[in-house]
Amino acid sequence: MDTVDKATRSRYMSAVKSRGNRSTEMKMVRLLRKNKLKGWRRHKRITGTPDFCWPVIKVALFVDGCFWHGCPRCYNLPKSNVIFWKNKVIGNRRHDKRVNLILRAQGWKVLRVWGCRINEKRTLLRLRTALHSQN
Ligand SMILES: [Zn+2]
């Protein structure tokens, strides 16, 4: 059991609540719909439970929350319990890497997009490339 103070605990809990990160995922849904990208499923029970995936062509898409996965652009380490948070992010990233490896070994193409970059041109380009290079 981690020993953390009350402030950390409550910060952690409130972050957990937003873990499904609906608003971020909805942003992605809108992007996919707007660009008529079809065939995706959400939260399919394969390794890592990707936020989105295209089972037929085996493309998995993760939308990584900036806070949980330590986005290099916008992550700010909380001021208290620095070690706790550092380890949290390190652990998550390690998990992400393992998931990538396993999925790739199973023949999936894995894409990860930072929550803050969903609406950048490059994201759509990467998606299109991944989805079309399969056929
Ligand atoms: Zn970010």
Side-chain angles (χ1 to χ4, degrees):
M1 187 76 198
D2 296 309
T3 48
V4 294
D5 65 39
K6 231 174 140 190
T8 302
R9 182 111 214 116
S10 74
R11 182 169 180 151
Y12 181 68
M13 292 314 285
S14 68
V16 165
K17 266 182 219 147
S18 61
R19 183 147 210 182
N21 218 336
R22 282 179 192 282
S23 62
T24 312
E25 274 186 39
M26 284 316 292
K27 254 192 216 168
M28 184 56 85
V29 168
R30 279 196 290 274
L31 181 78
L32 295 172
R33 289 199 176 130
K34 200 174 121 197
N35 293 283
K36 307 209 170 5
L37 299 172
K38 298 198 168 117
W40 45 272
R41 304 260 304 271
R42 286 170 79 178
H43 308 139
K44 198 171 164 58
R45 293 187 182 280
I46 57 170
T47 305
T49 323
D51 300 303
F52 300 87
C53 75
W54 284 258
V56 178
I57 54 174
K58 292 191 112 177
V59 173
L61 168 63
F62 293 85
V63 180
D64 288 337
C66 297
F67 177 75
W68 287 105
H69 301 262
C71 167
R73 185 189 290 175
C74 51
Y75 184 73
N76 285 312
L77 197 65
K79 297 226 170 9
S80 62
N81 298 91
V82 173
I83 306 277
F84 173 84
W85 289 109
K86 257 191 184 156
N87 287 336
K88 194 88 211 149
V89 169
I90 288 170
N92 285 342
R93 300 188 77 147
R94 197 174 286 151
H95 173 79
D96 295 343
K97 273 193 188 145
R98 274 197 54 224
V99 167
N100 290 354
L101 282 174
I102 294 168
L103 286 175
R104 281 175 184 143
Q106 294 171 350
W108 288 82
K109 176 169 260 184
V110 183
L111 287 180
R112 287 188 177 269
V113 176
W114 290 111
C116 63
R117 302 192 190 187
I118 291 171
N119 287 322
E120 290 181 7
K121 260 191 193 150
R122 196 170 161 263
T123 301
L124 182 60
L125 217 76
R126 282 176 65 203
L127 268 171
R128 285 220 159 107
T129 306
L131 296 177
H132 292 127
S133 65
Q134 304 283 325
N135 305 317

